[in-house]
Amino acid sequence: MKTNGFVDGSLPDELKKVLRSVGSEWGDVVDDMESLQVIALKGAMTNEVFQINWPTKCGNLDRKLVVRIYGEGVEAFFSRDDEIRTFECMSKHGQGPRLLGRFADGRVEEFIHARVSEI
């Protein structure tokens, strides 16, 4: 796996399980978790956020998704449970990225091709 983000260069087992589930739903991605490219994204205030580029079996196009690893110690400022419920509700109603999966320390989201507005 090519990585710029995860400390030891490997994905947590619980995250791999979620990714395998997402991959099986897509059906067109390669089965090898080592082929994933992990890119650290900037701009998150309390979380670590990564773009995952997942090669497809046809080889000329990657599937992309976002992995959000929850930050520590933010419970003093807001409820993580409330945040997750709000995100799930918005996702179900087509507002923002789709929620693709959850694990204890984070979630997997649809990647939306966009750019940050510079005001």
Side-chain angles (χ1 to χ4, degrees):
M1 173 181 39
K2 305 166 200 161
T3 180
N4 291 337
F6 293 94
V7 175
D8 63 359
S10 66
L11 300 173
D13 288 339
E14 193 176 10
L15 173 55
K16 285 181 184 179
K17 183 177 178 181
V18 172
L19 290 174
R20 282 190 183 97
S21 175
V22 170
S24 70
E25 289 178 22
W26 284 340
D28 65 344
V29 294
V30 297
D31 294 330
D32 181 14
M33 287 279 151
E34 296 298 315
S35 67
L36 301 180
Q37 180 185 25
V38 180
I39 302 165
L41 300 177
K42 298 178 183 177
M45 292 174 48
T46 61
N47 301 317
E48 291 183 77
V49 182
F50 302 91
Q51 175 183 325
I52 306 286
N53 297 333
W54 197 336
T56 58
K57 293 175 182 173
C58 66
N60 63 350
L61 183 64
D62 287 350
R63 291 271 195 161
K64 297 177 192 273
L65 49 88
V66 171
V67 172
R68 182 175 305 273
I69 307 293
Y70 300 139
E72 295 180 23
V74 297
E75 294 80 17
F77 303 105
F78 63 89
S79 165
R80 181 68 70 192
D81 291 337
D82 287 347
E83 177 202 19
I84 292 167
R85 277 194 298 278
T86 301
F87 185 87
E88 286 177 331
C89 180
M90 292 177 66
S91 175
K92 287 178 186 175
H93 290 90
Q95 304 299 311
R98 286 184 310 127
L99 178 64
L100 301 176
R102 290 180 50 193
F103 56 103
D105 295 329
R107 64 183 183 241
V108 178
E109 306 169 6
E110 171 186 35
F111 179 86
I112 296 179
H113 296 274
R115 63 183 177 88
V116 177
S117 176
E118 296 181 24
I119 297 178

